[in-house]
Amino acid sequence: VSSIAGVLAKVDPWHVEQGESLRLILDALPDECVDGLITDGPYSSGGQFRGDRVQATGDKYVLGRVKLVRPDFAGDTRDQRSFQLWCVLWLTECLRILRPGSPICLFTDWRQIACTIDALQAAGFIYRGIVPWDKTEGCRPQAGRFASQCEYVVWGSAGEMPADRISGRCLPGITRHFPNPRDKWHQTGKPVPTMEGIVEIVEPDGIVLDLFCGSGSTGVAARRRGRRFLGFGLVPEYVTISRDRIAADKQLLTLPAARAGQTPLFGGGAG
Ligand SMILES: C[S@@+](CC[C@H](N)C(=O)[O-])C[C@H]1O[C@@H](n2cnc3c(N)ncnc32)[C@H](O)[C@@H]1O
């Protein structure tokens, strides 16, 4: 059975822990123990007004025509001021647990990008830029307006970042992938090919931390690209999905195929 300690010791290739992220960081993560933070926290977005934000995530983010029911998720009801304060709290702890020079990548949308950049810098990270995730023309077209077809990865580093850290390869500054419904297990799930491009910023065999791992897309990408993975999630249903997905991918099975078979899907996860 895998564990947080097992990943930190580079014994386990991956582990997903159920719990509140800030609590888990404070309880279980020592100084300078991970090599990159790649995370897609709750945007606390999905509307213009406070009343919009406190709706269930399924009402905010799932279009009426979507037939597949995915569970609601947690922590998405903060107004913009409290969202920013909360981000500074956990980001400040992340600066402590990242090895110096490590990258940090935070997903956000057009509503929250400004306060996400502010929070990253307030916590003490060096802000280095934005990688747009272009979801393609099929996403959120609006008659007479620009389509809301992009989300954004705000990125930076824990102090200076040596150019030869990952063999000096140039990484693309944009990612373009449609959120494939056949491999979307969370209401706001990110495409694995997009995540594969993002995890490349972490050194090979380094430990990628995702504090809000949802359905585990970052974990699947990290494993495919030869990085170790530590994921945290609050909602038990999604923790199970994450573990199942990463385990299934390791066996080169799709999640439905793995669930239909006899493979033990529940439990710690590594191997
Ligand atoms: C935007 S989703 C991540 C989706 C993920 N990138 C994927 O592709 O599936 C954010 C996740 O963080 C979880 N979450 C919210 N607050 C949390 C907290 N304080 N600690 C741990 N997880 C939390 C939510 O339940 C949700 O599943």
Side-chain angles (χ1 to χ4, degrees), residues 106-129:
L106 308 174
F107 274 82
T108 188
D109 72 355
W110 63 275
R111 300 177 183 91
Q112 301 291 58
I113 190 166
C115 60
T116 301
I117 294 167
D118 288 348
L120 177 136
Q121 294 181 92
F125 287 94
I126 297 179
Y127 170 45
R128 295 193 180 273

Side-chain angles (χ1 to χ4, degrees), residues 9-265:
K10 294 207 166 178
V11 174
D12 296 327
W14 64 276
H15 177 75
V16 178
E17 183 81 9
Q18 194 273 323
E20 199 285 316
S21 288
L22 183 55
R23 184 76 262 153
L24 289 171
I25 297 176
L26 291 167
D27 286 351
L29 298 187
D31 295 357
E32 301 182 9
C33 66
V34 296
D35 302 290
L37 175 75
I38 297 178
T39 201
D40 172 29
Y43 291 178
S44 282
S45 186
Q48 305 278 18
F49 306 107
R50 175 145 178 78
D52 300 334
R53 291 202 169 117
V54 298
Q55 291 177 64
T57 56
D59 296 330
K60 290 194 291 185
Y61 299 124
V62 181
L63 298 175
R65 64 174 186 274
V66 174
K67 299 281 186 295
L68 184 65
V69 177
R70 300 182 179 95
D72 277 345
F73 62 92
D76 204 70
T77 56
R78 295 174 175 90
D79 69 12
Q80 201 165 42
R81 279 164 44 115
S82 33
F83 172 77
Q84 192 169 11
L85 283 169
W86 174 69
C87 288
V88 174
L89 279 180
W90 55 262
L91 283 165
T92 302
E93 279 302 309
C94 288
L95 188 66
R96 174 183 69 76
I97 62 172
L98 280 161
R99 281 189 245 284
S102 298
I104 170 170
C105 300
L106 308 174
F107 274 82
T108 188
D109 72 355
W110 63 275
R111 300 177 183 91
Q112 301 291 58
I113 190 166
C115 60
T116 301
I117 294 167
D118 288 348
L120 177 136
Q121 294 181 92
F125 287 94
I126 297 179
Y127 170 45
R128 295 193 180 273
I130 297 162
V131 179
W133 166 37
D134 175 0
K135 298 186 270 185
T136 77
E137 292 70 19
C139 284
R140 298 197 181 260
Q142 309 188 80
R145 301 180 185 190
F146 296 116
S148 286
Q149 77 184 61
C150 287
E151 293 181 29
Y152 307 94
V153 180
V154 169
W155 80 281
S157 62
E160 276 308 323
M161 192 181 195
D164 59 357
R165 198 181 45 89
I166 49 167
S167 77
R169 202 163 72 75
C170 294
L171 305 178
I174 188 164
T175 167
R176 180 175 157 92
H177 293 106
F178 182 70
N180 176 7
R182 287 171 175 273
D183 193 28
K184 187 168 169 180
W185 302 97
H186 190 284
Q187 289 168 358
T188 65
K190 303 298 176 280
V192 172
T194 287
M195 299 314 301
E196 285 185 67
I198 302 297
V199 300
E200 291 267 310
I201 192 76
V202 178
E203 64 198 54
D205 202 42
I207 300 170
V208 176
L209 173 66
D210 184 348
L211 297 179
F212 308 103
C213 80
S215 62
S217 313
T218 312
V220 173
R223 296 304 300 138
R224 283 188 192 174
R225 296 293 173 129
R227 275 74 177 165
R228 290 172 194 270
F229 178 71
L230 189 54
F232 297 160
L234 201 49
V235 177
E237 210 167 344
Y238 278 122
V239 170
T240 301
I241 290 173
S242 288
R243 291 173 178 166
D244 289 358
R245 251 183 117 195
I246 302 170
D249 199 71
K250 181 179 159 282
Q251 298 156 26
L252 302 177
L253 297 170
T254 62
L255 182 58
R259 284 191 154 169
Q262 293 78 41
T263 322
L265 293 172

